[in-house]
DNA sequence: TAGGTGTCAGTGACAAAGTCACACAGGGTT
DNA sequence: AACCCTGTGTGACTTTGTCACTGACACCTA
């Protein structure tokens, strides 16, 4: 809680600032404690400042006209909410929603402070740019996934990545959101995997037994 | 060709620089003349500098494992090749390809010059950031399109936007690339539109008669 | 402990889109 | 005219998306 602690519990991008700027930023920043399930922003919301994630995990997803959802990416410790930068600079509202997955700590840098940091710190600029680069990459990968890859392979991959060993606690509905498809599709594919003995299904849980590699 | 011309035929982002920096940038920049059909970069290529488009049009697209393609976005006069920034900064290769659509003029800013401009010009920084913001937005829109919208509606929209009045010179294969689908799907949907009298089809050309709005 | 109430999962039927294979057409060249 | 390349049309089949509905499970309350 005390600022003396903030060096230890701070954000990498702030740590890299020279002492004077860091003190300025710390003084202006607003600290946020986010509870699991809480909504950080909604589509259409306007941006109050640049959120820096200190700890926990925040999921960013988009909702289509029909109400279908897809997870765009996640933010974790030392991440920057890249989307906010665009909103800050253009004044447009957000085009996505952000949900807290694990209880998180964050700081909100007000716009004038953000601009001052951009002007005065090379390291800050580099961090912002590299964050942008990563998001752009993430989204290009996602476009490729969604446009070209088969759902069964994407599901297999997801299972290997998230439940490689044991079991994952997730509903079919949520998993559909991860992949940008419909719940029924996930249910069918999972059932098929269960028939082949590669997973066992329980309410809200998937036990991964052995998911095949694409080479199989 | 002469540098004295470069003020008139230059790039908005360079115009906004103070005289000293502008001269430096002009001195370091390499001028490129790109012919229609030429490839600006391929997936995996490494980035030599930041391309600024002066005139013409460049298409950026991605190729899936299967060879399917999708157009990500286009760059026109006064645009910045946002993708290159990430490649410049991380040293990674490109993940997409860029093709010249209309003969274009561009300048290539070498990395050290790019970094100096970032360090010394606030306007330059703002332009770079806003370019990033736009690309991120474009890609989010594209994800939504591809993941959630129906192909017939997307095709209708494309036809209205690009051939609203008369006719478009494009093959079904190219149009499939614009939408990120297969040629056969485009052929079938177009044939259906022709049956309904909304378009007339010729080899390499589509005459748009009257494409329905979603409300019809 | 029985019943009530949400959420979660399974499934059939059908529509939309992607894939594969191949036939055919248009417009140029030789 | 015969040839060839590219572009287009189409049938058959698979995969994915949508709709409608049923049943299963977990938890709460009486």
């Amino acid at each position: 809680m005390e600022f003396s602690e903030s060096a230890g519990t701070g954000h990498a991008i702030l740590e890299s600032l020279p002492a004077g700027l860091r003190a300025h930023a710390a003084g202006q920043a607003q600290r946020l404690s986010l509870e699991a399930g809480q909504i950080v922003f909604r589509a259409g919301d306007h941006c109050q400042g640049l959120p820096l994630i200190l700890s926990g995990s925040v999921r960013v997803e988009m909702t289509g006209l029909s109400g279908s959802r897809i997870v765009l990416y996640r933010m974790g410790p030392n991440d920057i909410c890249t989307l906010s930068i665009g909103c800050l600079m253009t004044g447009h509202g957000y085009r996505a929603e952000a949900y807290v997955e694990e209880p998180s700590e964050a700081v909100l840098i007000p716009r004038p402070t953000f601009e001052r940091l951009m002007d005065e710190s090379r390291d800050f600029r580099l961090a912002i740019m590299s964050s942008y680069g990563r998001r752009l990459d993430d989204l290009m990968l996602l476009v490729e996934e969604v446009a070209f890859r088969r759902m069964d392979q994407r599901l297999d991959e997801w299972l290997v990545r998230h439940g490689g060993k044991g079991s994952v606690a997730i509903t079919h509905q949520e998993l559909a959101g991860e992949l940008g498809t419909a719940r029924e599709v996930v249910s069918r594919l999972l059932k098929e995997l269960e028939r082949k003995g590669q997973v066992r299904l329980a309410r809200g849980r998937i036990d991964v037994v052995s998911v095949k590699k694409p080479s199989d």
Side-chain angles (χ1 to χ4, degrees), chain A:
Chain A
M1 283 296 178
E2 318 96 283
F3 277 131
S4 59
E5 260 195 21
S6 75
T9 63
H11 191 284
I13 198 174
L14 296 181
E15 309 290 323
S16 72
L17 296 174
L21 266 186
R22 188 166 67 222
H24 173 72
Q28 299 298 312
Q30 180 186 346
R31 224 181 168 96
L32 305 174
S33 283
L34 307 167
E35 296 161 28
Q38 194 178 337
I39 295 177
V40 185
F41 54 78
R42 289 191 172 79
D45 280 2
H46 285 269
C47 185
Q48 302 309 311
L50 178 68
L52 308 179
I53 310 292
L54 305 181
S55 66
S57 167
V58 174
R59 183 180 76 246
V60 176
E61 59 183 55
M62 202 172 33
T63 306
L65 295 172
S66 56
S68 321
R69 299 174 157 209
I70 185 167
V71 173
L72 296 178
Y73 59 85
R74 289 185 162 73
M75 297 182 292
N78 290 322
D79 273 343
I80 298 161
C81 181
T82 318
L83 261 187
S84 300
I85 303 174
C87 296
L88 268 186
M89 310 236 331
T90 65
H92 291 158
Y94 288 103
R95 193 183 291 294
E97 301 94 47
Y99 300 89
V100 180
E101 290 202 303
E102 296 167 28
S104 305
E105 294 286 321
V107 291
L108 191 67
I109 307 277
R111 183 181 166 142
T113 309
F114 169 69
E115 292 187 351
R116 180 162 167 202
L117 294 178
M118 281 295 287
D119 288 348
E120 298 185 15
S121 165
R122 180 164 217 280
D123 286 340
F124 186 83
R125 287 197 291 272
L126 288 177
I128 295 291
M129 303 288 293
S130 94
S131 165
Y132 251 129
R134 245 175 299 128
R135 290 301 165 235
L136 216 51
D137 241 42
D138 287 351
L139 284 185
M140 286 177 59
L141 243 28
L142 184 60
V143 168
E144 166 153 12
E145 287 265 303
V146 169
F148 301 134
R149 306 217 23 236
R150 292 189 36 156
M151 199 50 76
D152 52 358
Q153 289 173 17
R154 293 177 55 207
L155 177 61
D156 287 358
E157 263 182 38
W158 193 96
L159 290 172
V160 168
R161 190 164 334 152
H162 293 84
K165 26 184 160 265
S167 72
V168 210
I170 192 170
T171 67
H172 296 185
Q173 183 69 69
E174 288 163 349
L175 188 37
E178 296 288 328
L179 300 174
T181 183
R183 199 261 313 158
E184 296 92 319
V185 174
V186 171
S187 289
R188 267 199 288 265
L189 292 174
L190 281 174
K191 208 65 192 171
E192 183 57 26
L193 286 180
E194 190 178 45
R195 270 182 220 110
K196 293 195 272 177
Q198 298 179 16
V199 301
R200 264 167 307 169
L201 301 177
R203 188 186 176 85
R205 203 183 73 240
I206 304 170
D207 297 316
V208 180
V209 180
S210 74
V211 170
K212 293 192 176 178
K213 295 280 154 196
S215 54
D216 293 350

